[in-house]
Amino acid sequence: MVERLPESGKIWYNGEFVDWKEATVHVLAHGLHYGSGVFEGIRCYATAKGSFIFRLREHVDRMYRSAELYKMEIPYSKEELTEAIKETVRINGLDACYIRPIAFYGFHHLGVNPAGCPVDCAVAAWRWGTYLGEEALENGIRCAFSSWRRIDPNTLHVTAKATGHYLNSMLAVHEAKEQGVDEAILLDNKGYVAEGPGENIFAVKNATLYTPAIESSILPGITRASVIELARDMGYEVVEKSIKKEELLSADEVFFTGTAAEVSPIREIDDVPIGAGKRGEVTGAIQRKFFDVVNAKEERYMKWLERV
Ligand SMILES: Cc1ncc(COP(=O)(O)O)c(C=O)c1O
């Protein structure tokens, strides 16, 4: 069972902190009816050097870019939202947590054209462990290719992290659960590997890393970008390209990246074991490096950590 949210503490809502239970939305809010919102998922890590938010600037930039793509004007500056995010962590006394900023069209009218609707904005944070479980980080997860294709750039802005997009992810997750596997892998509309419902994907073959390029309808993940940089710095070659289903199945190793999933090995796809059917060597090395970085153990990447 998925854990219920805490219902205590404070949420930053349109410029002020309100009690968790007061942070509510009208049933006729535009965003509720049409999925017209943009958001982020951000992690804060408790380290021996204090609490740090991972790549906060990049997350805030992506949120404003998502809003821009959908012509939504967030009524706060990036600096104001950044401060609201940090203050939400502080005011709730959290050290390690997941942070969820969101901006959406609120209550005014219900025409599809949102003109005139306010853009409501909130930031919540709560304690949260690993997304797919500790065991998953160690031993890897089981996945299946979804029969649902990832949303397409001819229909939606696939590079935006927008609320309405997640109906696509939800369908894929439902299907995966029905099949009894941990997570889905979606293909793009051309049949190439795109990503998970909330994760980017990497394959390892002969110690080279491959990951779908932006052209495969992926969300440009911040963990993905970090892993590409880390892997290159570690001396691995990383290739962004279109990846066929068969290439994924015949890879030595496959893993997911994401704020929630962090670096999660995939040990099986459609009942076919990947490589040795457990976390591979390269995945293990990248995972260790990633956790060292987010835990402030790597001076070189302290630039990615923002003190709370
Ligand atoms: C659809 C989708 N793809 C990929 C990702 C991974 O992105 P990030 O590493 O920025 O969390 C996410 C999570 O935000 C996502 O929702």
Side-chain angles (χ1 to χ4, degrees):
M1 264 306 275
V2 179
E3 223 176 290
R4 195 180 154 97
L5 289 170
E7 290 192 82
S8 62
K10 300 274 185 195
I11 289 176
W12 183 89
Y13 196 14
N14 290 333
E16 52 192 84
F17 282 99
V18 300
D19 286 341
W20 190 283
K21 289 194 174 173
E22 304 300 320
T24 53
V25 174
H26 196 274
V27 291
L28 296 180
H30 192 280
L32 187 61
H33 290 255
Y34 306 123
S36 53
V38 298
F39 69 105
E40 277 302 317
I42 312 173
R43 263 191 201 263
C44 175
Y45 289 89
T47 81
K49 295 180 185 149
S51 279
F52 292 98
I53 300 174
F54 185 62
R55 308 207 76 168
L56 178 56
R57 187 162 44 82
E58 288 79 0
H59 281 285
V60 169
D61 282 348
R62 187 171 64 184
M63 182 156 156
Y64 280 73
R65 179 65 185 152
S66 300
E68 197 173 58
L69 285 166
Y70 281 111
K71 305 191 190 313
M72 170 188 279
E73 234 174 273
I74 298 176
Y76 301 95
S77 66
K78 284 186 183 178
E79 292 69 32
E80 285 169 323
L81 189 73
T82 300
E83 192 44 41
I85 289 170
K86 291 206 244 179
E87 192 55 24
T88 303
V89 177
R90 284 188 216 119
I91 212 168
N92 286 293
L94 295 163
D95 52 4
C97 59
Y98 181 81
I99 311 163
R100 172 55 63 89
I102 183 166
F104 57 95
Y105 286 114
F107 173 85
H108 185 61
H109 63 75
L110 269 182
V112 171
N113 179 355
C117 288
V119 174
D120 289 326
C121 201
V123 182
W126 58 91
R127 225 167 272 289
W128 208 36
T130 57
Y131 179 54
L132 299 160
E134 280 294 338
E135 211 252 281
L137 290 177
E138 268 299 309
N139 300 320
I141 56 167
R142 297 174 60 233
C143 291
F145 287 114
S146 180
S147 66
W148 295 99
R149 295 289 168 100
R150 162 88 177 144
I151 51 168
D152 183 74
N154 290 307
T155 316
L156 291 161
H157 288 296
V158 294
T159 60
K161 194 166 167 66
T163 58
H165 295 185
Y166 284 80
L167 279 175
N168 177 240
S169 294
M170 195 185 81
L171 287 167
V173 168
H174 274 168
E175 192 181 47
K177 295 299 166 194
E178 275 163 20
Q179 292 171 338
V181 297
D182 302 300
E183 195 63 300
I185 298 170
L186 292 95
L187 306 180
D188 67 14
N189 74 339
K190 296 194 192 81
Y192 290 105
V193 175
E195 59 180 0
E199 307 89 357
N200 293 114
I201 197 163
F202 284 77
V204 182
K205 188 76 182 175
N206 301 325
T208 294
L209 280 77
Y210 298 89
T211 193
I214 296 291
E215 293 71 37
S216 292
S217 295
I218 63 163
L219 180 79
I222 289 160
T223 320
R224 173 185 180 276
S226 308
V227 162
I228 290 174
E229 195 171 329
L230 290 175
R232 285 185 178 147
D233 290 349
M234 289 163 80
Y236 294 108
E237 191 187 343
V238 184
V239 182
E240 295 178 64
K241 68 172 204 85
S242 300
I243 298 177
K244 296 196 188 94
K245 244 172 129 169
E246 312 84 84
E247 289 177 282
L248 207 62
L249 290 171
S250 61
D252 301 329
E253 306 176 27
V254 177
F255 62 90
F256 272 145
T257 63
T259 298
E262 300 172 304
V263 177
S264 295
I266 295 174
R267 68 177 148 94
E268 199 182 288
I269 304 172
D270 280 354
D271 292 323
V272 177
I274 302 302
K278 58 179 190 181
R279 177 174 60 192
E281 235 171 77
V282 177
T283 307
I286 286 170
Q287 204 183 38
R288 277 191 300 280
K289 176 68 83 180
F290 176 80
F291 282 115
D292 280 351
V293 168
V294 298
N295 284 300
K297 292 181 186 165
E298 293 264 358
E299 206 44 55
R300 180 171 181 185
Y301 304 101
M302 284 304 284
K303 58 181 181 188
W304 289 350
L305 302 182
E306 173 103 14
R307 196 177 280 282
V308 172

